[in-house]
Amino acid sequence: MISLAGRDILHSWGKFVFTGVGLGLLIGVTLTMAGVYRGMVDDAKALLDNSGADLWVVQQDTLGPYAESSSLYDDTYRGILGMKGVARAANITYLNMQVRRTGGEGQQHEQKDVRAMVVGIVPGGPGEPGQPGYLVAGRQITRGHYEAVADIATGFKLGERIRIRRNEYRVVGLTRRMVSSGGDPMVFVPLKDAQEAQFLKDNDAIVRQRARTAENPALNRPGVPGVLDAVLASQSVNPFVNAVLVRIKPGFDPEAVAEPIRRWQRLTVFTRAQMEEILIAKLIATSARQIGMFLVILAIVSAAIVAFIIYTLTLGKIREIAVLKLIGTKNRTIAGMILQQAVGLGLIGFVVGKVAATFWAPFFPKYVLLEAGDAARGFAAVMVICVLASVLAIRAALKVDPAEAIGG
Amino acid sequence: MSERYNQGIRIEGLTKRYGAGDTAVDALKGVDMQVAPGEVVGLIGPSGSGKSTLLKCLGAVIEPSAGRMTLGEQIIYEDAWKIPDLRALRRDKIGFVFQAPYLIPFLDVTDNVALLPMLAGRPNAESRKRALELLEALDVGHRARAMPSQLSGGEQQRVAIARALVNRPPVILADEPTAPLDSERALTVIHLLEDMARQFSTAIIVVTHDEKIIPTFKRIYTIRDGRTHEEAGEGR
Ligand SMILES: Nc1ncnc2c1ncn2[C@@H]1O[C@H](COP(=O)(O)OP(=O)(O)O)[C@@H](O)[C@H]1O
Ligand SMILES: [Mg+2]
């Protein structure tokens, strides 16, 4: 027996290939949507991996520092360092902002704004939590001020000058795959600078704040001249950080180290597993549902297209189907023919979709991670959709009366 | 009737009523007909007289209301179907030729014909060999690899006849097989059918309006108002 479906596809291959490519682009979009979600999850995991921390110590009763804002005094880490099982503890700040390139060496001084997450780290030896794990160029931050290490995704080059708020920094190192949970590339600066950047107000605001303070009789008491100066001085420093990253000693259980910090330091502590749960289940949950909605709609649209095409192709063959039935073709053979065509269309679509998604994924501004598992699930879904979509056409074909071939 | 009619098709008192109640149509009111192996008979009658209905009953695609149909020794219908697998009956015992050739557009000429033995479970190579022999016999062997759309109307109709013959059915039902053809080609087709009928001992019923070919039949059944009348034709 010959393959009726195969012959039909070969005969009208143009129709099949065009429809398959159309369907394929749709499948490509679907795979990419899944890749966007995987990329978000992977970004979140990269953020946690790259922080080099085993525990995140944050403000009590917050989900900081990534999902909620959290603020701790910058001397909190000293108390934590003394706890059992803690190897290292380092302050860290995070600040989402626009970073502007202001100039480079030997190249045209073209200005450029980049959305980035500015991370304040304590310059220290390698292995300090919070430090960029490895560099692709340059060196780590060694000075206490005005040096920066940027992710290559920012587009910054070694030696370029960038502006964060009022200060200029020199890019001394480049790193890669250091991203925020939102996928923005990171720029590392010394902690002190970062604290200042978080806190620093413009001159007008400072003048206004000073005037307000001076007018407050409680803070500017007549006859006690030193108080106002002390208050103003305390207002112009930022003693806060967003979190303390803790590296634990080998052989200790993270939860066992975390519990005493919670109890005795009265802080909230998250382990790596809890942090991952917060990032993935809470922070990107809405985006995931958003993408899920897209996937559902795309699946329905793809199913409708396959159903429509297969149905139209079948209706165009009613006469031939009547003849096939009249000359003794089994219903099963005819149903099989339509089913194989639907599956063939799905196959073409899937291959085109996979190639298209692989081709365009790198051009997306945020990380798109195409997982083999998603491709396999996508393939299964396409096949199921094609089978379901052919049901309508099969029903129409089985209803064809062989007497129609003889006519009136 | 002579002995040889026992081997062909016999129809006795066949009736067919479409629908029921007030709107019922009695398309066949008692048809009697006999066609011997190797014989080609004409079936003529005005439009709406029941020709197609009779072919559909014989072709086992609609069920008659009453009467009897036999094929050789085998009773096919006697007030009910007597054969469990009508699909296999159509495939193995009956060949169809239609007004239009209705070839399968996505199969080449050979496979259009070879499809029938393949459906009956014969190997592809054997089916194609048989198809090619018939195509040669019908003078379209040189178009064996062509697609149906590349053939002329006459060639297509000959391929359709090859398809009807390929399983060596004892019966061929032809519904206006010459309608799309000019008179020369129409006569060629009828002569082909006569040759084939003789060669393969096939009983052939040709429904037609075609004035050009009516004189070629030796026997003609006229159907009027659901009843048949047998006449001798002018053919020799
Ligand atoms: N499916 C049907 N339902 C109801 N009446 C039908 C049907 N098919 C044919 N008829 C009626 O049966 C009669 C015979 O029709 P038909 O066999 O097609 O005649 P012919 O082929 O000789 O023109 C006509 O009156 C026609 O209207
Ligand atoms: Mg008719």
Side-chain angles (χ1 to χ4, degrees):
Chain A
M1 188 59 199
I2 47 178
S3 158
L4 292 174
R7 293 305 187 83
D8 193 14
I9 292 176
L10 284 181
H11 183 247
S12 42
W13 65 269
K15 218 185 285 180
F16 269 89
V17 167
F18 276 116
T19 320
V21 167
L23 180 68
L25 294 178
L26 207 59
I27 292 173
V29 171
T30 314
L31 291 175
T32 309
M33 291 309 288
V36 166
Y37 171 71
R38 297 293 175 193
M40 283 164 61
V41 170
D42 202 70
D43 278 349
K45 287 190 178 153
L47 170 67
L48 300 183
D49 286 343
N50 294 337
S51 70
D54 299 311
L55 297 177
W56 282 257
V57 180
V58 299
Q59 184 183 342
Q60 204 173 26
D61 297 331
T62 68
L63 295 175
Y66 311 115
E68 288 180 3
S69 63
S70 145
S71 152
L72 298 171
Y73 280 107
D74 57 8
D75 55 1
T76 312
Y77 79 98
R78 293 205 187 109
I80 295 167
L81 265 180
M83 305 293 293
K84 195 160 175 261
V86 173
R88 289 163 184 256
N91 284 328
I92 195 149
T93 66
Y94 295 104
L95 180 62
N96 276 309
M97 60 183 298
Q98 297 292 116
V99 176
R100 169 162 300 183
R101 177 168 73 194
T102 52
E105 287 164 351
Q107 44 208 274
Q108 67 273 46
H109 287 210
E110 153 205 10
Q111 294 212 338
K112 183 187 165 199
D113 258 5
V114 174
R115 180 87 201 149
M117 186 185 234
V118 173
V119 185
I121 54 168
V122 184
E128 193 73 10
Q131 291 249 353
Y134 53 95
L135 301 180
V136 291
R139 57 169 175 83
Q140 296 279 9
I141 297 169
T142 51
R143 290 198 282 162
H145 287 291
Y146 312 132
E147 288 188 343
V149 169
D151 190 281
I152 47 169
T154 57
F156 299 147
K157 307 259 167 15
L158 277 186
E160 279 183 340
R161 287 196 303 281
I162 57 177
R163 177 180 284 276
I164 297 169
R165 291 282 160 89
R166 281 200 226 153
N167 296 324
E168 281 210 341
Y169 298 77
R170 179 173 295 277
V171 177
V172 297
L174 292 176
T175 180
R176 60 174 291 273
R177 199 86 193 95
M178 297 294 277
V179 288
S180 75
S181 61
D184 294 328
M186 286 179 171
V187 173
F188 295 87
V189 297
L191 184 78
K192 289 276 173 236
D193 292 348
Q195 282 179 305
E196 195 187 322
Q198 254 183 352
F199 174 76
L200 202 66
K201 298 193 179 79
D202 57 274
N203 290 339
D204 295 333
I206 293 172
V207 167
R208 242 173 274 134
Q209 187 189 29
R210 290 202 173 147
R212 278 167 65 100
T213 312
E215 257 147 52
N216 186 336
L219 301 178
N220 188 11
R221 306 175 103 171
V224 193
V227 172
L228 180 63
D229 289 339
V231 169
L232 289 179
S234 83
Q235 278 176 343
S236 54
V237 295
N238 173 15
F240 295 106
V241 294
N242 298 123
V244 175
L245 303 183
V246 173
R247 169 84 49 83
I248 62 176
K249 289 184 180 145
F252 280 83
D253 172 41
E255 193 49 47
V257 178
E259 195 45 44
I261 300 176
R262 288 188 192 116
R263 185 178 315 161
W264 300 112
Q265 304 282 340
R266 303 197 154 269
L267 294 166
T268 295
V269 184
F270 296 112
T271 62
R272 159 80 201 223
Q274 290 166 333
M275 212 60 205
E276 208 171 301
E277 162 77 11
I278 289 172
L279 284 186
I280 290 163
K282 298 201 167 68
L283 199 59
I284 62 178
T286 318
S287 308
R289 279 204 299 278
Q290 185 101 339
I291 288 171
M293 256 328 272
F294 259 114
L295 289 180
V296 169
I297 292 171
L298 284 170
I300 293 172
V301 172
S302 313
I305 289 182
V306 179
F308 177 74
I309 295 295
I310 292 293
Y311 190 68
T312 328
L313 287 178
T314 305
L315 286 194
K317 285 199 292 271
I318 287 296
R319 188 111 240 177
E320 285 78 25
I321 289 171
V323 172
L324 283 172
K325 283 185 162 189
L326 184 71
I327 65 179
T329 312
K330 291 190 186 99
N331 275 343
R332 200 167 1 110
T333 310
I334 290 167
M337 172 173 111
I338 295 169
L339 193 67
Q340 284 170 45
Q341 289 182 344
V343 168
L345 204 56
L347 274 177
I348 298 175
F350 182 79
V351 170
V352 171
K354 184 76 184 90
V355 170
T358 311
F359 171 75
W360 66 44
F363 294 100
F364 276 73
K366 284 190 188 179
Y367 188 45
V368 175
L369 175 61
L370 300 171
E371 283 189 357
D374 286 342
R377 275 185 287 278
F379 181 74
V382 168
M383 288 301 122
V384 169
I385 283 173
C386 286
V387 169
L388 291 182
S390 62
V391 166
L392 212 62
I394 288 176
R395 275 188 40 174
L398 294 188
K399 266 199 296 210
V400 173
D401 185 355
E404 276 177 40
I406 295 178
Chain B
M1 273 291 156
S2 84
E3 187 61 19
R4 68 190 188 113
Y5 284 97
N6 292 338
Q7 294 308 309
I9 312 165
R10 275 196 301 163
I11 301 169
E12 290 158 37
L14 199 74
T15 67
K16 171 66 189 176
R17 166 175 290 193
Y18 286 112
D22 290 347
T23 58
V25 179
D26 285 307
L28 301 179
K29 295 175 182 161
V31 169
D32 297 300
M33 196 169 184
Q34 283 160 324
V35 190
E39 191 182 24
V40 181
V41 302
L43 179 62
I44 59 177
S47 184
S49 56
K51 303 182 296 292
S52 295
T53 303
L54 178 56
L55 277 201
K56 287 175 189 173
C57 289
L58 267 170
V61 290
I62 62 171
E63 185 170 0
S65 303
R68 189 174 135 104
M69 296 192 294
T70 55
L71 193 56
E73 316 278 74
Q74 195 175 26
I75 300 175
I76 293 170
Y77 181 88
E78 189 163 18
D79 300 327
W81 291 115
K82 298 292 175 195
I83 287 191
D85 190 354
L86 296 175
R87 196 178 52 75
L89 174 80
R90 288 201 299 270
R91 186 188 65 206
D92 301 332
K93 298 282 164 86
I94 301 167
F96 295 92
V97 181
F98 315 106
Q99 175 168 347
Y102 297 148
L103 301 175
I104 309 297
F106 51 83
L107 298 180
D108 67 17
V109 164
T110 312
D111 283 345
N112 255 287
V113 178
L115 181 62
L116 275 95
M118 287 177 190
L119 286 174
R122 323 276 350 150
N124 289 2
E126 184 197 321
S127 304
R128 293 211 173 98
K129 186 163 163 282
R130 250 209 255 173
L132 275 171
E133 283 167 14
L134 263 174
L135 289 169
E136 293 291 350
L138 287 163
D139 224 17
V140 277
H142 60 292
R143 307 309 309 268
R145 304 302 314 167
M147 297 307 278
S149 57
Q150 300 166 320
L151 267 53
S152 72
E155 285 172 330
Q156 289 188 21
Q157 196 60 306
R158 273 184 278 173
V159 175
I161 292 171
R163 178 173 67 184
L165 285 164
V166 68
N167 272 347
R168 304 279 185 273
V171 180
I172 286 185
L173 305 176
D175 194 5
E176 313 247 7
T178 60
L181 305 178
D182 60 44
S183 53
E184 194 187 331
R185 290 191 191 287
L187 287 174
T188 317
V189 164
I190 292 301
H191 290 139
L192 269 177
L193 284 175
E194 281 173 343
D195 283 353
M196 295 296 141
R198 255 194 304 278
Q199 201 174 329
F200 302 118
S201 291
T202 312
I204 302 184
I205 299 175
V206 179
V207 169
T208 191
H209 269 118
D210 196 339
E211 297 294 335
K212 313 178 284 277
I213 64 167
I214 290 173
T216 63
F217 298 113
K218 286 192 218 49
R219 280 201 307 130
I220 293 174
Y221 284 92
T222 312
I223 184 165
R224 203 168 293 116
D225 213 11
R227 280 177 226 280
T228 41
H229 310 274
E230 190 187 337
E231 298 164 10
E234 298 164 28
R236 292 171 297 113

